[in-house]
Amino acid sequence: MSMVLTTTPSPLPHFQSTFTINNNNNGYSAQHRSHSRLLQLLNECTDMSQLKQIHAHTLRTATSTHSPHTLFLYSRILHFSSLSDFDYASRVFDQVHNPNSFMWNTLLRACARSSDRKEEAIQLYYRMFEQGIVMPDKHTFPFVLKACAYLFALFVGKQVHAHVLKLGYDSDVYINNSLIHLYGTCGCLDVAEKVFVKMPERSVVSWNVMIDAYVQLGEFDTALKLFREMQNMFEPDGYTMQSVISACAGLGALALGMWAHACALRKGGADMLNDVLVNNCLVDMYCKCGSWEIAQQVFERMPKRDVNSWNSMILGLGMHGKAEAALEYFVRMVRMERIVPDSITFVGVLSACNHRGMVSEGRKYFDMMIADYKIEPRLEHYGCLVDLLARAGLIDEALNLVSDMPMKPDVIIWRSLLDACCKKNVGVELGEEMATQILESEGGDCSGVYVLLSKVYASASRWDDVGMVRKLMTDKGVTKEPGCTSIEIDGISHEFFAGDTSHPQTKEIYQVLDVIEERLESVGYAPDFSQAPMVDELNNEKQHALSLHSERLAIAFGLLNLKPGIPIRIFKNLRGPSRVPQIIAKIRPWIAAVYSQFGFAKIMNIFKYWGKSMISNCSYG
């Protein structure tokens, strides 16, 4: 008996089986031809409708699912359906009595790559292991480890790692890459390092995942050191450069970031230049390094942009107090480019409004997010609006918003309210209530709340209570995190603390500060003590304390060492995003007064270079 498979002209394959007596061909030959034809149709299949017809014909003609040819057909059907219809693929999988490792891995891969089926990948792996008919192979583990990393399932990931060791796959490069990614994602940097060091063989991906793990956990210097080692063995690709550029952003190292930009262009050429992810990292890096103008140039030259590109630009402009420009980009994004904003977009928009104290605009965009784009506000959105209202002195409205929030306020929101209580002198009782809320919150027992509470007492001249707070800090062993300001010159980052005397150029720096103070007094500048009422001391003592702030030391060092036309860019470790404009507003007057009234080179011989254009370009990261 022979079987002839014919198809009629149709956009979808249509099957008709006819059985005739043929003494020259046995049944095996007919079935083999049928399988070959079905495989050909599977390779030409373009949608689920065609696949279902092929599957139906397989069910009618297959003699047994144990046949190698039939099993291979089911493997191909499963592979195609897993990419288009996971539920259908699951039903196909359940029809096979003894699925092979390829089938298990196909379904695992579909779960691991899906955004909402990561847990099913882990469950499927356990099911495979419990049945014990087919053991996991080297292709199984990367899929399940990817799911573990996405879910931060460290305990499960460690179990899978144990299985890897037990089955002897610990030298496989792909599995080790997945293990590094898992441990790096879950914050176990030491374990990720051990896996990386013990690898007998490494690929570009191995270096990339290790560098990225360092970047994600804030070890930027180590990431760059590893990048330098990698260059001795492999050419960096787009993923490498994304991590390197992100490390430069984390360090605020503009010169190094510009080198990374040039390196990406030189090594990657047009492909790297057109890479959306690399360009997004560049926009983010230039903004964080204080050069929003270059970020804007990179953004405008991008041949293609996604929502993250716009988010990076809006967030960057807001960070630099360019609220109007940030809002213009938002309007351009939604009206001209027709890109739908996401929740991160509105974090950037609300932050921009917060930077400039644009209360009415902040309310408008918060309502727009909910009404027009159906985005449910998250804690970050409430935090921006609460901080905006509190800084504007609208404490009651901010408190009402907090009470109406569907989630519990975090430490940051309470600290925003306490900070506003300090600055607006709204009353000691309210400040004490805010401090209590912070201390009762998880992670709230830190130096910041004590410092703010002491400011509340100091603003009311309750110096005994200020002393009590400081004694409480001492008794609890709580120490204030020192403010640190850094400045990058010639690719080297210099850090300064308040009253710092450890720098080799300390003498020259303090000489510059003395001259600055004299010149400021001569032009009538009066220091603002409103943010320094921590102790009951005379104004001249407070002025001396303010004059030794780390920002001033860093700027004086910049004036000593930077060439004409080079902007002064300083970075603070304790800054909050909404504080940057206030820092600029308080520091710029005395720099501007110095620049407008005299030239340092004529008064003291300690300045190597002088450039009036610096102040117009002065940027803060």
Side-chain angles (χ1 to χ4, degrees):
M1 180 179 292
S2 66
M3 181 183 72
V4 180
L5 178 64
T6 61
T7 60
T8 59
S10 169
L12 300 178
H14 175 73
F15 304 102
Q16 179 182 0
S17 300
T18 57
F19 298 88
T20 59
I21 301 297
N22 189 333
N23 294 327
N24 296 326
N25 296 306
N26 56 34
Y28 174 80
S29 177
Q31 190 177 33
H32 179 72
R33 289 197 302 273
S34 175
H35 285 157
S36 298
R37 179 58 179 153
L38 287 172
L39 283 174
Q40 180 183 346
L41 291 171
L42 277 170
N43 291 331
E44 298 170 356
C45 185
T46 58
D47 59 37
M48 283 300 298
S49 177
Q50 293 179 356
L51 182 79
K52 288 176 181 178
Q53 291 186 54
I54 298 171
H55 184 199
H57 196 80
T58 303
L59 290 171
R60 289 198 302 269
T61 59
T63 56
S64 170
T65 57
H66 297 288
S67 165
H69 293 293
T70 304
L71 206 58
F72 185 70
L73 271 174
Y74 272 102
S75 298
R76 297 296 300 162
I77 292 169
L78 182 66
H79 173 72
F80 186 97
S81 59
S82 69
L83 302 175
S84 305
D85 188 337
F86 181 83
D87 292 331
Y88 190 88
S90 297
R91 293 195 294 273
V92 171
F93 181 81
D94 292 336
Q95 289 175 356
V96 182
H97 295 298
N98 293 311
N100 57 27
S101 61
F102 176 84
M103 291 180 170
W104 284 98
N105 292 341
T106 299
L107 214 57
L108 267 169
R109 179 181 60 183
C111 292
R113 290 183 176 179
S114 171
S115 60
D116 56 352
R117 297 186 184 274
K118 298 291 194 300
E119 291 184 4
E120 290 184 44
I122 295 175
Q123 293 168 4
L124 192 65
Y125 173 76
Y126 278 135
R127 179 179 157 193
M128 178 185 188
F129 217 90
E130 288 169 359
Q131 289 186 6
I133 300 172
V134 177
M135 295 302 291
D137 59 22
K138 66 178 183 180
H139 302 292
T140 310
F141 293 107
F143 299 138
V144 69
L145 288 170
K146 179 180 180 180
C148 291
Y150 183 87
L151 296 170
F152 301 102
L154 180 60
F155 179 74
V156 178
K158 288 182 175 180
Q159 288 184 317
V160 176
H161 191 178
H163 296 162
V164 168
L165 297 173
K166 184 177 179 180
L167 297 174
Y169 292 115
D170 51 310
S171 62
D172 185 85
V173 64
Y174 299 103
I175 295 175
N176 282 320
N177 292 346
S178 299
L179 286 168
I180 295 169
H181 175 61
L182 165 72
Y183 288 119
T185 302
C186 294
C188 300
L189 197 53
D190 54 339
V191 185
E193 288 172 337
K194 289 178 182 177
V195 174
F196 180 79
V197 170
K198 290 181 179 180
M199 288 179 70
E201 178 189 358
R202 301 188 188 115
S203 64
V204 174
V205 177
S206 312
W207 292 88
N208 286 350
V209 291
M210 193 67 242
I211 292 170
D212 186 63
Y214 283 124
V215 172
Q216 296 303 320
L217 295 172
E219 299 289 337
F220 306 119
D221 284 317
T222 310
L224 294 176
K225 289 177 183 176
L226 195 64
F227 169 66
R228 285 193 286 272
E229 289 181 36
M230 173 190 177
Q231 288 181 295
N232 296 327
M233 285 161 270
F234 293 100
E235 281 291 316
D237 59 15
Y239 294 103
T240 318
M241 298 315 300
Q242 287 178 52
S243 298
V244 170
I245 293 165
S246 296
C248 297
L251 291 170
L254 179 63
L256 196 57
M258 295 179 79
W259 171 86
H261 189 179
C263 180
L265 295 176
R266 184 176 66 253
K267 293 182 180 294
D271 291 338
M272 198 80 75
L273 185 65
N274 297 329
D275 191 301
V276 176
L277 296 177
V278 172
N279 281 316
N280 289 349
C281 289
L282 286 169
V283 171
D284 181 64
M285 181 272 293
Y286 281 119
C287 286
K288 287 180 178 176
C289 290
S291 186
W292 62 269
E293 301 95 333
I294 302 180
Q296 206 168 23
Q297 291 175 16
V298 173
F299 179 85
E300 296 298 342
R301 292 174 183 172
M302 288 176 67
K304 184 180 179 181
R305 308 182 190 99
D306 59 12
V307 66
N308 295 321
S309 313
W310 292 91
N311 289 348
S312 296
M313 199 67 242
I314 291 169
L315 285 163
L317 289 169
M319 181 192 302
H320 289 277
K322 306 292 181 182
E324 292 83 359
L327 298 181
E328 287 174 5
Y329 269 86
F330 174 78
V331 172
R332 179 178 158 193
M333 169 188 179
V334 298
R335 292 185 183 175
M336 297 175 63
E337 303 293 334
R338 303 293 181 183
I339 294 178
V340 179
D342 58 15
S343 61
I344 298 175
T345 312
F346 281 99
V347 170
V349 169
L350 292 171
S351 297
C353 295
N354 193 7
H355 284 316
R356 292 296 300 272
M358 301 165 70
V359 176
S360 60
E361 288 84 354
R363 293 193 191 105
K364 181 185 78 172
Y365 285 109
F366 188 84
D367 294 338
M368 179 191 297
M369 174 181 68
I370 300 171
D372 296 351
Y373 295 100
K374 311 303 178 186
I375 297 174
E376 185 176 346
R378 299 191 310 202
L379 200 58
E380 296 89 338
H381 303 111
Y382 281 109
C384 288
L385 190 57
V386 167
D387 195 41
L388 172 61
L389 295 171
R391 288 180 182 278
L394 303 172
I395 307 295
D396 291 337
E397 186 178 346
L399 287 171
N400 290 335
L401 182 62
V402 170
S403 64
D404 292 338
M405 285 168 49
M407 70 284 291
K408 185 178 179 180
D410 64 355
V411 175
I412 297 173
I413 288 180
W414 290 121
R415 286 190 62 174
S416 296
L417 290 167
L418 179 56
D419 190 40
C421 291
C422 298
K423 294 177 179 177
K424 302 300 179 182
N425 297 322
V426 296
V428 174
E429 293 77 11
L430 185 57
E432 289 175 330
E433 175 62 27
M434 296 299 104
T436 302
Q437 293 287 350
I438 297 171
L439 292 172
E440 291 177 353
S441 302
E442 184 179 355
D445 193 8
C446 59
S447 64
V449 61
Y450 295 103
V451 172
L452 289 173
L453 183 57
S454 64
K455 281 188 175 184
V456 171
Y457 289 134
S459 63
S461 297
R462 290 171 52 171
W463 304 112
D464 291 341
D465 290 327
V466 171
M468 179 193 68
V469 172
R470 292 191 170 182
K471 184 178 184 301
L472 186 62
M473 291 177 67
T474 303
D475 293 342
K476 285 193 169 189
V478 177
T479 57
K480 182 180 181 297
E481 183 182 355
C484 174
T485 302
S486 63
I487 180 171
E488 182 195 21
I489 295 180
D490 296 331
I492 300 173
S493 180
H494 301 262
E495 293 185 343
F496 295 91
F497 295 87
D500 201 338
T501 58
S502 61
H503 197 277
Q505 289 185 270
T506 293
K507 182 178 179 181
E508 291 86 350
I509 290 170
Y510 278 85
Q511 284 179 312
V512 173
L513 290 177
D514 290 339
V515 175
I516 288 174
E517 293 300 328
E518 293 175 6
R519 298 302 297 181
L520 287 172
E521 289 179 7
S522 69
V523 296
Y525 174 75
D528 179 10
F529 300 135
S530 63
Q531 295 307 304
M534 294 299 296
V535 292
D536 186 15
E537 56 188 12
L538 299 175
N539 278 352
N540 61 343
E541 293 173 332
K542 291 182 179 181
Q543 182 174 357
H544 178 70
L546 286 175
S547 68
L548 302 183
H549 271 192
S550 59
E551 301 100 312
R552 294 193 172 196
L553 296 173
I555 291 173
F557 178 73
L559 293 171
L560 278 166
N561 294 277
L562 286 172
K563 297 179 180 180
I566 302 298
I568 297 175
R569 294 183 173 89
I570 64 171
F571 302 85
K572 284 188 64 68
N573 67 328
L574 299 182
R575 75 176 194 273
S578 58
R579 292 186 182 275
V580 178
Q582 285 78 7
I583 293 172
I584 296 173
K586 290 188 178 299
I587 295 178
R588 265 192 171 154
W590 62 267
I591 305 178
V594 171
Y595 273 112
S596 62
Q597 294 297 320
F598 70 100
F600 285 114
K602 296 181 181 179
I603 299 176
M604 299 181 66
N605 197 26
I606 61 173
F607 286 97
K608 298 178 181 178
Y609 301 101
W610 162 252
K612 187 172 181 179
S613 62
M614 286 183 187
I615 185 60
S616 62
N617 292 322
C618 187
S619 303
Y620 298 80

